[in-house]
Amino acid sequence: MIKTVELVDGAARMIDQTRLPTEKVFVDCRTIEEVGHAIKTMIIRGAPAIGVAAAMGVSLGADAISAEDFDGFYSQLEKKCDELAQSRPTAVNLAWGIDRMKRVARAGKDLSLPALKKRLREEAQTICDEDIAANRAMGSFGQTLIADGNNVLTHCNAGALATAGFGTALGVIRAAVNAGKKINVLANETRPFLQGARLTVWELMEDNIPVKLITDSMAGYFMQKKQVDVVVVGADRIAANGDVANKIGTYMVSVLAKTHNIPFYVAAPISTLDLSLASGEEIPIEERSADEVTIINNKRMAPEGAVVAHPAFDVTPNHLVTAIITNKGIALPPFTESLKKLAGESANP
Ligand code: MRU
């Protein structure tokens, strides 16, 4: 399995997702600031992977602190955490990972500084391990919704690369394949950053799972031709009512799926739920640079000076979501009740 991110020799080692699929390059982040930079520039991306990387970043940040006592240590750690939390706004897993590490730091206030740093390192590793386990659990719940022979459409990359391993939406597909089902994937290319074309197609080809790349604007065509049986996507943040923020273009796919009576499933761990938000309207949507829209592979696609918009995510309203597959089980509408019940104690906040 691809190692998206791992804690090795005082570094968070991550595969550089901006260079895939043509180059397989690993980047070692040795400081919390370097982890923040990797998140911002999308060397690492995908909500759960961001959460795991953030936890590792906090551990690296803690390692670099010298202080007389816990209060001195914690105030420095908080400052670094606040900065890291600014790296990307939409995926709630970032804040989730940081908050969990801060809680562990506070709980260890009576430990010696070296012991506390070790404890934080262990917690970052646990978060990484738990993410893989959550994806496997999601896979086994979710694969029951996929039938043998299904053509599954997905958007963006919600795979091993977007998590610590196995994936959320692609984890469901992997689990269906592992259960002996014949699955064909249609991967939307996902303009403008091309996570579908570059990452999803690469990942599935590595695993010999049949995948066909289509441009985002072809999704309706294939639904009309009855060549899509199910849609499965990931999520960056899910509000209490089941509104889902995910990669820009997801909303469009959900509307098409509704029109064509195709089930639209969202796969996401409990750490992606933000029950503090009543609806998706409150989810902050990241605006990324115009260059990511106008330039592809160093080639300018639009006139210099063109006015460009680049919201990186959109919100799919809950009425377009058939079910939300989590690591604790499958949530069905009405989501306000079902998500709360599944989340128990462990959701955000
Ligand atoms: O901008 P990105 O590449 O970080 O966006 C990723 C997505 O939108 C994914 O679908 C989402 O994070 C779920 S990943 C399991």
Side-chain angles (χ1 to χ4, degrees):
M1 194 163 67
I2 310 152
K3 280 235 157 84
T4 313
V5 58
E6 60 180 326
L7 210 42
V8 279
D9 304 331
R13 177 166 296 165
M14 40 190 90
I15 188 162
D16 185 343
Q17 300 194 31
T18 63
R19 315 265 293 259
L20 285 170
T22 47
E23 291 168 285
K24 213 166 151 186
V25 176
F26 289 85
V27 172
D28 279 355
C29 297
R30 298 200 170 273
T31 63
I32 186 170
E33 291 79 13
E34 284 176 11
V35 171
H37 177 260
I39 292 172
K40 203 177 271 193
T41 56
M42 291 172 70
I43 286 171
I44 190 156
R45 33 69 48 203
I50 291 172
V52 172
M56 292 179 178
V58 175
S59 163
L60 295 172
D63 284 342
I65 296 173
S66 21
E68 297 283 300
D69 54 19
F70 177 79
D71 289 343
F73 168 84
Y74 192 71
S75 69
Q76 290 185 60
L77 187 70
E78 254 195 324
K79 209 158 146 253
K80 288 169 187 259
C81 287
D82 288 349
E83 207 172 297
L84 180 64
Q86 300 306 314
S87 42
R88 287 191 80 190
T90 303
V92 74
N93 306 62
L94 176 67
W96 173 87
I98 294 171
D99 287 349
R100 180 158 153 182
M101 293 295 281
K102 280 165 69 178
R103 266 200 314 276
V104 167
R106 289 195 300 272
K109 70 177 174 35
D110 295 327
L111 295 172
S112 69
L113 229 48
L116 181 53
K117 290 177 181 180
K118 183 165 170 282
R119 175 73 195 89
L120 287 168
R121 221 170 294 134
E122 286 163 359
E123 188 67 13
Q125 187 56 50
T126 303
I127 289 175
C128 182
D129 298 341
E130 280 180 8
D131 185 59
I132 300 174
N135 293 331
R136 291 211 177 261
M138 239 177 286
S140 33
F141 289 123
Q143 68 87 16
T144 60
L145 302 170
I146 314 276
D148 188 20
N150 270 181
N151 296 313
V152 183
L153 184 135
T154 191
H155 189 74
C156 193
N157 172 267
L161 289 166
T163 62
F166 203 66
T168 58
L170 297 193
V172 168
I173 290 167
R174 281 195 169 95
V177 170
N178 293 346
K181 297 174 193 174
K182 196 175 166 304
I183 305 296
N184 288 298
V185 179
L186 272 99
N188 273 0
E189 68 167 348
T190 318
R191 274 279 284 149
F193 213 71
L194 303 177
Q195 289 95 330
R198 295 189 303 104
L199 308 175
T200 294
V201 173
W202 180 76
E203 220 189 282
L204 293 177
M205 283 177 72
E206 289 273 303
D207 274 7
N208 291 315
I209 297 175
V211 55
K212 189 188 280 173
L213 171 64
I214 61 172
T215 67
D216 303 340
S217 49
M218 294 175 192
Y221 173 89
F222 285 105
M223 289 186 186
Q224 212 170 36
K225 295 271 177 206
K226 306 213 176 303
Q227 290 181 34
V228 178
D229 300 300
V230 179
V231 175
V232 188
V233 296
D236 286 82
R237 196 186 292 229
I238 302 175
N241 68 346
D243 290 351
V244 174
N246 192 47
K247 180 51 52 195
I248 193 75
T250 304
Y251 169 50
M252 206 161 66
V253 176
S254 72
V255 173
L256 280 168
K258 186 75 165 183
T259 297
H260 293 279
N261 250 323
I262 296 168
F264 181 91
Y265 298 125
V266 175
I270 295 293
S271 53
T272 301
L273 302 183
D274 187 350
L275 302 186
S276 73
L277 305 185
S279 84
E281 268 175 58
E282 296 170 59
I283 298 176
I285 299 295
E286 178 181 15
E287 185 75 28
R288 290 190 65 88
S289 90
D291 284 356
E292 287 178 1
V293 175
T294 55
I295 300 169
I296 299 182
N297 253 348
N298 296 321
K299 188 163 165 35
R300 179 161 283 283
M301 296 292 160
E304 196 87 52
V307 177
V308 175
H310 184 190
F313 300 92
D314 58 27
V315 175
T316 297
N318 58 17
H319 69 93
L320 298 176
V321 178
T322 311
I324 299 175
I325 304 157
T326 78
N327 48 315
K328 297 279 178 70
I330 298 171
L332 296 171
F335 292 114
T336 309
E337 282 101 79
S338 58
L339 288 176
K340 203 168 161 192
K341 206 159 142 202
L342 281 184
E345 302 273 288
S346 46
N348 292 293

